[in-house]
Amino acid sequence: MQDRMQSDSRLLGLVYGAVFGSLFPLFHFAARSFARRERGHEIADQIAHAFLTLRPKYLEAILGNAAQMLGLRPTHPEVDRIARDMVRQHARAWVDFFYYGQRAPEEALAQFTSLEGLEHLDAAMAEGRGVILLTAHAGNYELGGLLLRARNLKIHTVYKPDRFEAVERLREQMRAQGGVVGVPVDGIGFSTLPLVRLLREGSLVGMQGDRDFSLNGLPIPFFGREAPFPRGPWELAAMTGAPIVTSFFYTDEARRFHARFGEPIRVLGRRGERQAAIEAGMRTYVSTLEQLIREHPSQWYCFYPFWDDPIRASGPRDLGQATSAEPLSTVIGV
């Protein structure tokens, strides 16, 4: 996939494909041999530094986002610190995904210090309508599958395939080892029908709620400015009756994991009532996400101007034409 700020250079795209098509398999192999997880983090930090040096336009976008979140000028030292730490945290999250994805699940589970709100997920699953587990590009959501697997829960994760096949193959391999089943959705034709079927079978479906790929999302106040958020998960909940449970996985300063699940949000009622319920649910989700980011500002991963998306000027489009929001997917993953 092409990201929102990617160069149109075909040659550059070929170079990216050659480099990252080999980088990911090599990094995957190296993660297996790390005696210490911290060693992998050291390498990730170096990659993050190189990325910011070689791709300054992304640093500019990240600084703008951090400034909005913190309510400070983009040139403020704290904004710079948070922006650079965000790139490091994102790189480290991928190290952990590779590292624990090739080890016994108990090793990752031992790193979870707190599990808040698991009773909410249990109650929602007990309803038998399936559950939409709604997260964001924050913390280390990829490791959530290991936690759910330990509770005998299989999660089907919705994703748009990466434009680099080598990256996608490894990601799917790691997810499978963690008990996660990938569900590719391209937005063309009836590609969402598998999600409807899964939910009506009582399954658990994981989705992201902070990226409006279709460019027709609902504008919601977020850190003092309106930003569009996707309606898709909420429309799916309205269609199937499945409750939505927000879920966030994040890391503390000691590099330990935490999981937080919210109370079930239901989209019920007739057509008009459902639209009101969708908007109310989305505002609850965005408020919860904002609170999490305030607590951990360097663990929300966005590499383009979130409030001033450069491709929004082209207007709404079909999801099948949407682009990826994660340029660092070409360096250290989505």
Side-chain angles (χ1 to χ4, degrees):
M1 291 185 293
Q2 188 180 35
D3 68 69
R4 278 168 156 85
M5 296 173 63
Q6 181 191 335
S7 167
D8 291 330
S9 169
R10 185 174 183 180
L11 177 60
L12 185 57
L14 292 174
V15 172
Y16 277 168
V19 172
F20 303 122
S22 59
L23 176 62
F24 262 72
L26 287 174
F27 197 68
H28 169 259
F29 176 78
R32 187 183 310 166
S33 62
F34 289 150
R36 297 183 305 111
R37 168 188 174 210
E38 291 75 11
R39 175 53 181 158
H41 286 180
E42 292 171 3
I43 296 174
D45 291 351
Q46 295 171 9
I47 294 176
H49 176 74
F51 173 76
L52 291 175
T53 301
L54 296 172
R55 306 296 282 167
K57 68 176 180 179
Y58 290 115
L59 176 59
E60 181 181 355
I62 297 166
L63 287 169
N65 291 339
Q68 183 68 40
M69 293 188 299
L70 298 175
L72 299 171
R73 299 184 310 276
T75 55
H76 195 284
E78 180 64 5
V79 171
D80 184 78
R81 185 188 71 81
I82 291 297
R84 294 179 184 276
D85 189 47
M86 185 271 278
V87 181
R88 286 193 294 268
Q89 292 286 354
H90 187 249
R92 290 182 178 189
W94 273 94
V95 166
D96 288 342
F97 181 49
F98 281 125
Y99 183 85
Y100 289 113
Q102 301 180 83
R103 287 167 170 78
E106 292 73 20
E107 291 191 40
L109 295 176
Q111 295 298 320
F112 276 92
T113 298
S114 65
L115 304 173
E116 300 179 43
L118 272 173
E119 68 276 10
H120 300 317
L121 176 60
D122 291 340
M125 289 297 294
E127 295 180 14
R129 297 184 177 183
V131 172
I132 298 173
L133 201 59
L134 192 63
T135 186
H137 292 80
N140 200 336
Y141 50 88
E142 294 283 7
L143 288 178
L146 293 174
L147 175 62
L148 297 172
R149 183 181 180 185
R151 297 177 63 82
N152 296 318
L153 292 173
K154 177 187 293 185
I155 182 169
H156 297 77
T157 300
V158 179
Y159 73 97
K160 281 181 64 64
D162 197 283
R163 65 192 180 102
F164 297 126
E165 294 183 3
V167 174
E168 195 57 60
R169 284 196 303 269
L170 280 177
R171 181 164 56 183
E172 282 303 290
Q173 179 182 339
M174 292 292 97
R175 282 176 174 169
Q177 291 178 3
V180 177
V181 179
V183 182
V185 174
D186 57 17
I188 299 174
F190 300 98
S191 62
T192 59
L193 287 181
L195 305 180
V196 174
R197 176 180 57 79
L198 286 168
L199 290 170
R200 288 178 174 168
E201 291 174 351
S203 299
L204 185 61
V205 173
M207 303 184 74
Q208 302 282 357
D210 61 335
R211 296 290 190 271
D212 178 31
F213 293 135
S214 64
L215 304 184
N216 62 1
L218 178 68
I220 297 177
F222 186 55
F223 287 101
R225 284 185 63 189
E226 282 194 342
F229 286 82
R231 306 170 187 264
W234 305 90
E235 297 286 357
L236 186 61
M239 186 186 309
T240 62
I244 287 180
V245 174
T246 60
S247 62
F248 300 106
F249 303 88
Y250 58 96
T251 307
D252 61 24
E253 293 182 358
R255 311 188 199 199
R256 306 268 295 179
F257 302 137
H258 300 261
R260 183 182 300 174
F261 298 88
E263 295 184 12
I265 303 173
R266 297 171 178 82
V267 181
L268 304 174
R270 297 181 180 179
R271 182 179 298 273
E273 296 171 334
R274 286 184 178 182
Q275 290 305 312
I278 284 174
E279 182 171 342
M282 291 179 68
R283 291 182 183 277
T284 297
Y285 165 80
V286 172
S287 176
T288 303
L289 175 61
E290 182 174 315
Q291 179 58 38
L292 178 81
I293 296 171
R294 290 188 187 279
E295 297 171 7
H296 308 279
S298 63
Q299 293 190 50
W300 179 56
Y301 311 130
C302 184
F303 296 83
Y304 69 96
F306 187 77
W307 286 266
D308 299 295
D309 189 340
I311 68 170
R312 298 202 70 81
S314 61
R317 66 183 67 182
D318 183 79
L319 182 59
Q321 299 174 306
T323 55
S324 169
E326 296 298 333
L328 208 58
S329 66
T330 59
V331 180
I332 47 179
V334 174

